[in-house]
Amino acid sequence: MLRQATTTLFFETRGRGLLEITRPVAEWVAATGIADGVATLFIRHTSASLLIQENADPEVRADLDRFFARLVADGDPLFRHRDEGPDDMPAHVRSALGAVQLSIPVAAARLALGTWQGVFLWEHRLRPHRRELALHLVGE
Amino acid sequence: MLRQATTTLFFETRGRGLLEITRPVAEWVAATGIADGVATLFIRHTSASLLIQENADPEVRADLDRFFARLVADGDPLFRHRDEGPDDMPAHVRSALGAVQLSIPVAAARLALGTWQGVFLWEHRLRPHRRELALHLVGE
Amino acid sequence: MLRQATTTLFFETRGRGLLEITRPVAEWVAATGIADGVATLFIRHTSASLLIQENADPEVRADLDRFFARLVADGDPLFRHRDEGPDDMPAHVRSALGAVQLSIPVAAARLALGTWQGVFLWEHRLRPHRRELALHLVGE
């Protein structure tokens, strides 16, 4: 019979960039005892996002960050909202271009990720932040 | 025991820009009687999208719109599909850069949004449109 | 009473561009016998993504591809990760701008898509690839 589980996970980012969170998410999924279903990750912020990307070559993460830093430039004079500095509004834009939520099927008590996929928390602010994720799992 | 609820919500946009829909979505969630679970919002259009963003400072929404208007320029000669005018194809591109769907955990009969998060319908066409959302909630 | 169904679908892409997959996804949904619920599609790759877009005018798809080819240029000297050629890192960036996952409500045994919406697998690599989707459906 179907049932559900929920939790909240906290992560300390080291400033702008990708922080891999595959392991803590997978460990929580395994601990629920739900073998098959679908897990939903939701980030409770508007200046950080969630991303599934290659976890093999660190250059992929560096290139991603370089691309987004060029696409959404810190201090762009277009932006009027700069209460918290030149990286404030770019963080919101980067978040809008990314995902606040990911739903990942679970099979045999594991996230059904592809061989090269990792789950990342993408910090868009320059400085470290404490970030909160709401997790939900439904299955049996 | 787990159960589900579904509905359809309609919104009248005022043309391009962000329309906050947090309250009507939250009211429907509360009315279902499901206290804990996950809500899925799906927009049934290809020229509007869904976004979770800061709902405190209106300048954030204005900056977002300025950024996307520059990134995906109306009337860009690159575009051949212009059946409905210069904002037709840019609306499709903006929709592809955004999200047609959001899944949000529900706890204690409330959307588990962060302090500064609001749920928005993002109209990408210049003129007002009637937009339709399919909602699904599973939980108990 | 709620139940769930899962499957894996494989698709052979023809190189960069949009491949419509609405029909095979809808056929699987109908075959599960679950009439109402929510379907989650997850692509197990980091250089292809999922998209819901207009399925009426093929020019929309061509314009989308032209826009993204200009936004994320193959061979951009910004990128250092180029193990698999000049379209390698751009494929990762395009995937990060898109969606690896879509959740679509199901009503009366059909995907609750809008009139003009189709579900597409977006191949970001220039050459054809075999792509794998994990599908999950919960409902009754």
Side-chain angles (χ1 to χ4, degrees):
Chain A
M1 193 162 72
L2 288 182
R3 60 187 179 89
Q4 67 181 0
T6 61
T7 197
T8 303
L9 294 183
F10 295 90
F11 298 94
E12 306 284 343
T13 69
R14 297 173 302 244
R16 184 172 285 172
L18 291 162
L19 177 70
E20 183 158 15
I21 60 171
T22 313
R23 183 176 294 202
V25 173
E27 286 176 348
W28 174 72
V29 167
T32 63
I34 295 176
D36 298 283
V38 65
T40 298
L41 289 61
F42 181 85
I43 189 162
R44 303 184 69 207
H45 305 277
T46 62
S47 55
S49 58
L50 298 173
L51 181 68
I52 288 186
Q53 259 299 331
E54 173 164 328
N55 65 356
D57 183 352
E59 280 194 333
V60 170
R61 277 111 82 185
D63 279 352
L64 269 175
D65 240 44
R66 270 196 292 275
F67 180 85
F68 280 86
R70 185 179 68 184
L71 184 67
V72 195
D74 289 338
D76 189 321
L78 183 77
F79 300 134
R80 293 181 194 163
H81 173 85
R82 50 187 73 186
D83 298 359
E84 299 182 26
D87 63 324
D88 184 354
M89 192 60 216
H92 292 303
V93 173
R94 291 161 64 118
S95 160
L97 288 166
V100 295
Q101 166 262 320
L102 293 172
S103 293
I104 308 171
V106 168
R110 300 174 62 171
L111 297 168
L113 298 170
T115 311
W116 307 106
Q117 287 181 318
V119 183
F120 295 88
L121 192 169
W122 200 347
E123 175 62 68
H124 297 306
R125 300 301 309 275
L126 293 172
R127 287 202 292 189
H129 280 73
R130 178 176 169 85
R131 301 301 193 177
E132 186 176 347
L133 260 67
L135 275 75
H136 177 272
L137 174 58
V138 58
E140 61 194 325
Chain B
M1 192 162 71
L2 289 180
R3 61 187 178 89
Q4 67 181 0
T6 61
T7 197
T8 303
L9 295 182
F10 294 90
F11 298 94
E12 306 283 344
T13 69
R14 299 173 302 247
R16 185 173 284 174
L18 291 162
L19 177 71
E20 183 158 15
I21 61 170
T22 313
R23 182 175 295 202
V25 173
E27 286 175 348
W28 174 72
V29 166
T32 64
I34 295 176
D36 299 283
V38 64
T40 297
L41 290 62
F42 181 84
I43 189 162
R44 303 183 70 206
H45 304 277
T46 61
S47 56
S49 57
L50 298 173
L51 181 69
I52 288 185
Q53 259 300 330
E54 172 164 329
N55 64 355
D57 182 353
E59 280 194 332
V60 170
R61 275 112 82 185
D63 280 352
L64 269 176
D65 240 43
R66 270 196 292 276
F67 179 85
F68 280 86
R70 186 178 66 184
L71 184 66
V72 195
D74 289 339
D76 188 322
L78 184 77
F79 299 135
R80 294 181 193 162
H81 172 85
R82 48 186 74 186
D83 298 358
E84 299 182 25
D87 63 325
D88 184 353
M89 192 60 217
H92 292 301
V93 173
R94 291 161 64 118
S95 160
L97 288 167
V100 295
Q101 166 262 320
L102 293 172
S103 293
I104 307 171
V106 169
R110 300 176 62 172
L111 296 169
L113 297 170
T115 311
W116 307 104
Q117 288 182 317
V119 184
F120 295 88
L121 192 168
W122 200 347
E123 176 62 69
H124 298 305
R125 299 300 309 273
L126 292 172
R127 288 201 291 188
H129 280 74
R130 179 176 168 83
R131 301 300 194 176
E132 186 176 347
L133 261 65
L135 276 74
H136 178 271
L137 174 57
V138 59
E140 61 193 325
Chain C
M1 191 162 72
L2 289 181
R3 59 187 179 90
Q4 66 182 0
T6 60
T7 197
T8 303
L9 294 181
F10 294 89
F11 298 94
E12 307 282 344
T13 69
R14 297 172 303 244
R16 185 173 283 174
L18 291 162
L19 177 70
E20 183 158 14
I21 61 171
T22 313
R23 182 175 295 201
V25 173
E27 286 175 349
W28 174 73
V29 167
T32 64
I34 295 176
D36 298 285
V38 64
T40 297
L41 289 61
F42 181 84
I43 189 163
R44 304 184 69 206
H45 304 278
T46 62
S47 55
S49 58
L50 297 173
L51 180 70
I52 288 185
Q53 260 299 331
E54 173 165 327
N55 64 355
D57 182 352
E59 279 194 332
V60 171
R61 276 112 82 185
D63 280 353
L64 270 176
D65 239 44
R66 270 196 292 274
F67 180 85
F68 279 86
R70 185 178 68 184
L71 184 66
V72 195
D74 289 337
D76 188 322
L78 184 77
F79 299 134
R80 293 182 195 162
H81 172 84
R82 50 186 72 185
D83 298 358
E84 300 182 25
D87 63 324
D88 184 354
M89 192 60 217
H92 292 303
V93 173
R94 291 161 66 119
S95 160
L97 288 166
V100 295
Q101 167 262 320
L102 293 172
S103 293
I104 308 170
V106 168
R110 298 175 63 171
L111 297 168
L113 298 170
T115 311
W116 306 105
Q117 288 182 317
V119 184
F120 295 88
L121 192 168
W122 200 347
E123 176 62 68
H124 297 306
R125 300 301 309 276
L126 292 172
R127 288 200 292 187
H129 280 74
R130 179 177 169 85
R131 301 300 194 178
E132 186 176 346
L133 262 66
L135 276 75
H136 178 271
L137 174 58
V138 58
E140 61 194 325

